Amino acid sequence: MRTKKVFDGQHGLIGSIFVASLFVNLLVLTAPLYMLQLFSRVLSSGSISTLIALTVGAAIALVFYFCFDVLRQRLVARLGTRLEARLGPVIMTSIMEGNLPSEAQGIQPLRDIQSLRAFVTSPILIALLDAPWSILFVGLIFAFDPALGMVALVGIAILFGLGVVSEFVGREPDKAASDASQDATIAADEMLTNAEIVHAMGGTRTQIERWTLKSFSSILFGTLATDRMAALTSLAKLVRMVMQIAIMAVGVLLVLQGQLSPGLMIAASILLGRAAAPVEQSVAGWRGLLQVRVNIQRLNAVLAYSADVSDRLELPEPDGRLSVEGASVVLQGVQDPLLLDVTFSLEPGQSLGLIGPSGAGKTTLARALVGLQPLARGHIRIDEVSLADWSPEQIGMYTGFLPQRVELFRGTIAENIALMDPDAQPSEIVAAAKLAEVHDLIVKLPGGYNAEVGDRGNNLSAGQRQRIGLARAVFGNRKLIVLDEPNANLDPEGEAALARAIRSVTATGAIVVVITHRMNLLRQVTHAGMMQEGRLVRFGEAKAIIDAAAKPITDASKDDPKVAVFHRREKLVEDAGNNTEAQSGGDTA
């Protein structure tokens, strides 16, 4: 499959812009030609009718110049709009699907699109389009007189040379400034995300100093690039003014010697000004060109990672059979695999509880089951079809996911349950809430389903967000539902409601995979498994796993000492957690 590029599909529009530039630059010759004809025809003959005819012709040419210039401006604006409209959804989809390299994560690619559009619609691009026509204008000046042509050629060559120098002296500091600015932006986003904990633990000054250091690097390199470009821009202005004086001086000398007419001298001066202007503007805007080149390189890198799923065949609605075959996950730069040869299968209506110590790979497996974590080896199949072969948009309609950290959208509870789908039916939203055993909680809130959850759900408690997240996970026709520690913020009442919800969901024929640190939740599932160091070391019916955990340590250690010690530790942790909840009353939400 051919790698996507930023300007794919825009070649016709770009060609139209070049054609419009052709006519604009040809019609620029109206003023020097008009001046030449005035001196050669009107002043020599004194004919008023010739003056009127030339003036009318020049006026008509200028009207066409206006029309083509407006057309070019509109085409350039359309190019910027089309680039943002086409790239925006593709880039956003890649960001949402998380299949980008770490350096391209976050909203930086979206900023790159905005910077690209701003450059395309700026006067700098127009100057760059006009700059090649300087060769034509210099050629015409040569046709007037070789001496004038040499003056123009030397001046334009110096301006082009300044553009090349701008490339060399501005490339490195501008790239360094762009990278540092990106680092500062990422640091600022992290600070805002963790603002409360930073403020509560007295880390504000440390974080501000960290951000300031990164921001200062961007400012330092940006100032260095600006200083260099400012010096070259001023030098370009000086060169242009020297050129104007030189060509007028040489022209007057030629007129005095009778080798050139005054009309040609003035026309040559006008043409030189037109030839030098876009080159000078290009030098002044060279930093913007360098920056947009970095933007395009980053966007092309992001597009190279973007998966094109538009041509994938839409498969029939799955029954929901889940098969995990040798699933392994290896991260770049990490020596040990996060998952290693995990294999199991579940039928519709079955449920699985995963236990294990922290760092055992449970969350990695959960993310892999819903397509958020690519596999290095092995397969996850839904109805015998590998998850990688399903269209993410289609299979996403049949999978539900409740992560450890539940984030809600700014909107109402109903909108969040429906994942902000404007076409969701109220009856389906209520049905999902009832299935998740959260309907009674919602109707007791002020506003009920229409209650605003606030920014990221801050108007709700952690337990309320978790239970609404559960309703969101079961909303629609879900065949596979993965819950990552869904009872982490629940009180005993909420945990009982969660248990009933799991039974209700599996009764509909869906598969439920639950990750938990609490053994009592295993009694609500049909199967259980234990993760350890990325491996699924135990898998079977939940009753068998519970019975093994209930054995005395001496008996269990005969089978597997690590399993026995782990279950004893889990039992102590669970008992301590239950005692704490009983004393505090838990999160009644």
Side-chain angles (χ1 to χ4, degrees):
M1 183 177 64
R2 190 177 71 88
T3 303
K4 294 179 180 178
K5 297 292 184 180
V6 167
F7 292 101
D8 284 353
Q10 311 301 329
H11 297 95
L13 183 55
I14 294 174
S16 300
I17 293 173
F18 276 103
V19 171
S21 296
L22 166 65
F23 285 102
V24 166
N25 284 278
L26 290 178
L27 290 167
V28 162
L29 299 175
T30 299
L33 290 177
Y34 179 74
M35 189 67 64
L36 180 63
Q37 294 301 315
L38 284 182
F39 277 91
S40 62
R41 295 179 182 272
V42 177
L43 293 180
S44 61
S45 65
S47 173
I48 301 299
S49 60
T50 302
L51 175 62
I52 295 174
L54 289 173
T55 304
V56 171
I60 294 174
L62 291 177
V63 169
F64 277 101
Y65 170 82
F66 169 78
C67 293
F68 280 108
D69 193 45
V70 170
L71 176 62
R72 180 171 65 169
Q73 297 283 357
R74 292 173 67 88
L75 290 174
V76 165
R78 297 302 183 276
L79 176 61
T81 301
R82 287 177 60 174
L83 284 173
E84 186 167 5
R86 185 185 76 87
L87 295 176
V90 177
I91 297 297
M92 182 59 77
T93 299
S94 298
I95 294 174
M96 294 295 292
E97 291 179 353
N99 57 358
L100 298 180
S102 57
E103 61 272 15
Q105 295 290 347
I107 62 174
Q108 182 60 44
L110 298 180
R111 291 196 178 101
D112 289 336
I113 296 175
Q114 294 170 351
S115 298
L116 175 60
R117 181 185 180 185
F119 176 83
V120 167
T121 56
S122 70
I124 300 175
L125 179 63
I126 299 298
L128 291 172
L129 291 173
D130 290 339
W133 293 97
S134 300
I135 301 174
L136 171 63
F137 300 143
V138 172
L140 288 175
I141 296 174
F142 259 108
F144 294 163
D145 189 275
L148 295 178
M150 285 303 301
V151 173
L153 181 61
V154 171
I156 296 298
I158 293 175
L159 289 178
F160 272 112
L162 290 177
V164 174
V165 172
S166 300
E167 164 72 14
F168 286 104
V169 303
R171 179 195 306 168
E172 292 302 326
D174 204 74
K175 184 178 185 303
S178 177
D179 292 342
S181 176
Q182 185 176 4
D183 290 342
T185 300
I186 293 173
D189 289 340
E190 291 175 346
M191 288 170 57
L192 293 176
T193 301
N194 301 282
E196 290 185 351
I197 188 172
V198 170
H199 177 70
M201 300 181 67
T204 301
R205 176 175 297 180
T206 302
Q207 293 297 324
I208 291 295
E209 290 176 352
R210 172 173 171 263
W211 172 82
T212 301
L213 181 62
K214 295 178 181 295
S215 180
F216 181 76
S217 298
S218 174
I219 295 172
L220 182 64
F221 286 113
T223 302
L224 178 61
T226 300
D227 289 344
R228 292 180 178 181
M229 298 308 300
L232 291 171
T233 299
S234 298
L235 185 58
K237 292 179 180 178
L238 174 63
V239 170
R240 180 180 58 81
M241 289 188 289
V242 170
M243 289 168 55
Q244 292 282 4
I245 294 174
I247 201 164
M248 289 297 293
V250 174
V252 169
L253 183 61
L254 293 174
V255 170
L256 293 177
Q257 294 176 352
Q259 299 179 17
L260 190 71
S261 67
L264 287 176
M265 178 190 70
I266 296 176
S269 177
I270 295 174
L271 284 174
L272 180 61
R274 180 62 189 180
V279 180
E280 179 189 345
Q281 293 175 15
S282 299
V283 174
W286 202 263
R287 186 183 179 190
L289 178 62
L290 293 176
Q291 179 59 51
V292 82
R293 185 171 65 180
V294 174
N295 298 144
I296 292 175
Q297 290 173 347
R298 279 201 295 249
L299 288 173
N300 281 333
V302 171
L303 291 173
Y305 281 87
S306 301
D308 186 4
V309 298
S310 58
D311 57 346
R312 292 188 184 178
L313 179 67
E314 183 171 344
L315 300 173
E317 177 181 330
D319 294 328
R321 296 185 304 277
L322 174 65
S323 175
V324 180
E325 305 168 358
S328 301
V329 172
V330 180
L331 296 185
Q332 185 177 3
V334 180
Q335 182 176 3
D336 297 326
L338 301 185
L339 283 184
L340 184 61
D341 293 331
V342 175
T343 300
F344 65 90
S345 62
L346 294 171
E347 294 294 323
Q350 293 181 338
S351 52
L352 169 65
L354 285 174
I355 57 175
S358 298
K362 304 185 299 297
T363 294
T364 301
L365 177 57
R367 290 173 54 82
L369 290 176
V370 294
L372 296 179
Q373 178 61 64
L375 298 181
R377 187 175 67 247
H379 296 281
I380 296 176
R381 301 183 186 276
I382 305 292
D383 284 7
E384 309 305 325
V385 179
S386 175
L387 198 60
D389 294 332
W390 284 90
S391 165
E393 190 70 20
Q394 183 187 6
I395 195 60
M397 298 170 56
Y398 303 108
T399 56
F401 182 50
L402 178 65
Q404 289 183 10
R405 181 175 178 176
V406 179
E407 297 281 1
L408 300 180
F409 296 94
R410 182 180 297 176
T412 66
I413 291 177
E415 289 173 332
N416 274 277
I417 292 176
L419 204 59
M420 310 307 286
D421 183 1
D423 298 325
Q425 298 298 317
S427 58
E428 296 177 347
I429 296 173
V430 174
K434 290 182 176 179
L435 188 62
E437 295 279 342
V438 74
H439 172 75
D440 293 339
L441 182 151
I442 294 174
V443 296
K444 292 177 182 178
L445 293 173
Y449 283 90
N450 295 317
E452 293 285 338
V453 302
D455 188 19
R456 297 187 177 183
N458 288 335
N459 292 350
L460 305 175
S461 70
Q464 288 172 331
R465 288 197 300 271
Q466 198 154 36
R467 296 184 65 182
I468 291 173
L470 176 61
R472 180 174 63 187
V474 303
F475 174 79
N477 185 21
R478 308 297 179 181
K479 303 295 185 180
L480 170 64
I481 299 171
V482 180
L483 311 176
D484 193 354
E485 297 193 35
N487 55 350
N489 298 302
L490 300 183
D491 61 0
E493 180 184 352
E495 194 162 329
L498 172 64
R500 293 193 299 271
I502 292 175
R503 291 195 296 268
S504 299
V505 171
T506 53
T508 65
I511 292 176
V512 178
V513 177
V514 185
I515 294 173
T516 181
H517 281 288
R518 301 181 183 177
M519 295 287 290
N520 57 3
L521 197 58
L522 292 182
R523 299 183 179 90
Q524 315 303 326
V525 297
T526 61
H527 292 73
M530 192 185 84
M531 299 288 298
Q532 190 171 28
E533 297 179 352
R535 296 175 180 269
L536 184 64
V537 295
R538 283 236 175 150
F539 175 80
E541 293 185 359
K543 186 177 184 303
I545 299 295
I546 293 173
D547 290 343
K551 291 180 181 180
I553 287 183
T554 53
D555 293 338
S557 60
K558 296 177 182 178
D559 299 328
D560 191 337
K562 292 182 179 180
V563 174
V565 171
F566 167 74
H567 284 308
R568 173 59 60 87
R569 185 175 64 84
E570 286 293 314
K571 186 66 168 60
L572 294 174
V573 171
E574 181 183 351
D575 291 342
N578 291 338
N579 292 335
T580 301
E581 289 176 349
Q583 294 172 5
S584 62
D587 186 349
T588 56

